[in-house]
Amino acid sequence: QDAKFVLSGSDDANLRIWKARASETLGKKDPRQERRLEYTETLKQRYATMPEVRRIAKHKHVPRVIMKTGEKQKIMRDSERKKEANRRAHSKAGAKGTKKPERAQAVLKEVV
């Protein structure tokens, strides 16, 4: 109801309850702590347009293995695109075996 928690379930019949804001503490807060949290939230909203603050707010920690895997996949996709562009540029007009553009591959059926 108050969007403080997120529920998730899995195939092995486990139900997990997560805090929506991981850094926020649970339980009762004293007035001084509440004022401090309100003040930091207003500062975030006030300076949200600044690039430095936006970068910090958008930052999400990603494990190194996942980051490296994503980088490798990007390199592989880029090299495949370059290779295909070179094949198209240096092949005869209308040659068979050339790959379709990715946008044309996504089209399953054209409706006329």
Side-chain angles (χ1 to χ4, degrees):
Q1 292 177 356
D2 56 0
K4 287 189 178 185
F5 298 98
V6 177
L7 295 172
S8 67
S10 61
D11 292 338
D12 58 352
N14 282 330
L15 184 67
R16 290 186 174 87
I17 301 174
W18 307 83
K19 290 191 292 184
R21 293 183 177 181
S23 61
E24 193 174 288
T25 58
L26 293 177
K28 191 171 182 177
K29 298 175 189 87
D30 59 347
R32 182 178 181 179
Q33 195 176 16
E34 284 183 16
R35 283 195 307 269
R36 183 181 147 267
L37 291 173
E38 288 175 13
Y39 179 69
T40 55
E41 283 300 316
T42 54
L43 283 178
K44 286 179 193 176
Q45 290 173 0
R46 175 186 250 177
Y47 297 108
T49 57
M50 293 182 68
E52 297 89 1
V53 176
R54 198 174 330 129
R55 181 182 57 82
I56 293 168
K58 287 172 55 175
H59 176 74
K60 301 283 188 271
H61 175 72
V62 180
R64 183 176 291 149
V65 175
I66 295 173
M67 185 82 101
K68 290 290 183 185
T69 304
E71 289 173 3
K72 284 181 186 177
Q73 288 176 348
K74 183 180 182 306
I75 290 169
M76 288 168 40
R77 277 193 310 267
D78 290 344
S79 66
E80 185 66 33
R81 285 186 188 132
K82 286 179 188 177
K83 188 175 184 179
E84 190 58 37
N86 286 338
R87 280 188 185 150
R88 282 194 197 122
H90 300 290
S91 63
K92 294 180 182 178
K96 292 184 180 178
T98 56
K99 194 173 178 182
K100 287 184 181 179
E102 289 186 29
R103 289 185 183 193
Q105 287 179 1
V107 177
L108 300 175
K109 183 178 179 184
E110 290 187 23
V111 180
V112 180

